[in-house]
Amino acid sequence: MSRVLITAGASGIGRAMAEGFAAKGAQIWVADVDQAALDAVPSGWTRSRVDVTSEAEMATLFDQIATDWGGLDTLCANAGIAGPTALIEDIALADWKHCVSVNLEGAFLAAKYAAPMMKAQKAGAMILTSSTAGLYGYPNRAPYSAAKWGIIGLAKTLSMELGPYNIRVNTLCPGSVEG
């Protein structure tokens, strides 16, 4: 049975990913900051309240996965936020940093902690959620676009680093979706 971790998996695209993997018989572990959404996921799924921007919380999550599951087959690094909508000169640095932290650093931390598990297994798959904004840009959304472009670069680099261990790394680039 495949073991799948999905960050921001309690709602939206992450929830759809979880439902799809569950329909194929996978074990599901959902990590999310939204406790109410976590409380609403199916009882058969493992759930953890985790802030993907906290290295300590991410390390604890992956320690728990190692203890409970003994490894991880698929990582869906899906956590993301829209961030500010404004002209670049009107974006506060704190808002820029928060958007980049959730969207890009969250994926980095997930991959950082998943990689050793998958390397030990000599197999795995990482799916990093980017966006069409990461392919083409998006006016008035500089931090979001920059972070999503960064996801694509991260995935390309990880595929080169982890490919020799039979670990696939891909990105999803959805367009706008209804919440």
Side-chain angles (χ1 to χ4, degrees):
M1 183 181 299
S2 182
R3 301 160 296 181
V4 180
L5 169 65
I6 304 161
T7 63
S11 63
I13 292 171
R15 175 69 180 254
M17 289 175 168
E19 290 170 352
F21 279 108
K24 297 292 184 186
Q27 289 179 278
I28 305 298
W29 196 310
V30 171
D32 208 301
V33 293
D34 184 342
Q35 188 61 54
L38 279 170
D39 292 342
V41 303
S43 60
W45 299 358
T46 304
R47 61 193 79 145
S48 297
R49 190 194 175 291
V50 176
D51 177 352
V52 298
T53 68
S54 167
E55 186 162 14
E57 289 184 29
M58 292 293 278
T60 299
L61 171 65
F62 280 88
D63 286 346
Q64 193 63 53
I65 290 169
T67 298
D68 292 0
W69 280 359
L72 183 65
D73 300 305
T74 302
L75 165 67
C76 298
N78 178 65
I81 59 170
T85 301
L87 296 170
I88 191 72
E89 64 267 23
D90 297 326
I91 297 172
L93 181 58
D95 293 337
W96 170 280
K97 287 182 177 183
H98 181 64
C99 183
V100 171
S101 183
V102 173
N103 287 292
L104 181 56
E105 292 171 12
F108 156 74
L109 288 171
K112 173 183 177 170
Y113 287 102
M117 286 184 191
M118 292 179 178
K119 281 181 168 181
Q121 299 165 176
K122 297 193 177 8
M126 293 186 187
I127 302 166
L128 311 183
T129 302
S130 179
S131 167
T132 54
L135 298 170
Y136 309 114
Y138 198 116
N140 300 311
R141 300 292 293 283
Y144 179 80
S145 294
K148 294 304 186 175
W149 280 67
I151 290 288
I152 293 170
L154 177 62
K156 287 181 178 187
T157 300
L158 292 175
S159 68
M160 291 182 267
E161 290 180 9
L162 301 175
Y165 298 91
N166 196 35
I167 301 166
R168 297 178 320 279
V169 182
N170 293 288
T171 58
L172 294 179
C173 295
S176 297
V177 296
E178 287 189 34

